[in-house]
Amino acid sequence: MNIHRLLELAVKKTRAFGLETQALMSDLARVSGNDKQLKQSFEACVQGYGVSIKKLEEAKEFLSKSSFESAYYAVAKAHEYSYVCKDQFEGPSNEPALALNRSEKFISVCHIVWNLAEVLLN
């Protein structure tokens, strides 16, 4: 398997994980009850995941056209926005464990995809 195909697969899997996590954050926002700050944090997570997912979709499109530099920049933006959810909470102890775990995993896989894109670009 070449790097191009590996990156396409990684983008696809990362996007799918992002969509699952975005849906989870949306559910958590909905059931957060009267805690407005918590609800707002989860809603910001949903928006941040939305941007990351959109950027991964753009990267997928650029990869299909072998536009590697554009794919790299789209993946870099996806990675940048992967931190939005984690940054919504005052610290790991204030973030629900499930949200923290998913956020950290999403950040990690976005970082891996970004590194693959960098390898492909160079």
Side-chain angles (χ1 to χ4, degrees):
M1 178 180 277
N2 64 34
I3 287 288
H4 183 184
R5 297 285 180 238
L6 181 60
L7 182 55
E8 286 177 331
L9 180 61
V11 166
K12 179 182 175 183
K13 295 293 187 180
T14 302
R15 180 186 169 276
F17 183 75
L19 284 168
E20 290 172 9
T21 304
Q22 183 186 38
L24 172 66
M25 297 302 163
S26 182
D27 289 345
L28 291 171
R30 192 173 54 252
V31 299
S32 60
N34 294 330
D35 189 336
K36 291 183 189 236
Q37 185 176 1
L38 184 61
K39 182 178 179 114
Q40 289 173 347
S41 293
F42 284 128
E43 288 172 345
C45 288
V46 170
Q47 292 174 354
Y49 280 107
V51 174
S52 285
I53 291 162
K54 181 180 179 210
K55 293 300 176 184
L56 290 168
E57 289 167 354
E58 290 174 7
K60 182 181 173 191
E61 184 65 28
F62 288 132
L63 287 169
S64 73
K65 298 175 183 176
S66 296
S67 181
F68 302 132
E69 187 172 347
S70 295
Y72 171 81
Y73 288 115
V75 168
K77 278 294 186 187
H79 179 254
E80 179 182 327
Y81 277 90
S82 71
Y83 284 90
V84 167
C85 190
K86 190 164 174 46
D87 293 344
Q88 291 308 303
F89 299 89
E90 293 177 10
S93 63
N94 293 329
E95 186 171 3
L98 179 60
L100 176 63
N101 183 287
R102 296 293 290 221
S103 294
E104 288 178 342
K105 284 183 182 178
F106 189 67
I107 290 167
S108 294
V109 293
C110 281
H111 187 76
I112 291 167
V113 170
W114 188 28
N115 285 335
L116 283 172
E118 188 171 31
V119 168
L120 182 62
L121 187 60
N122 294 321

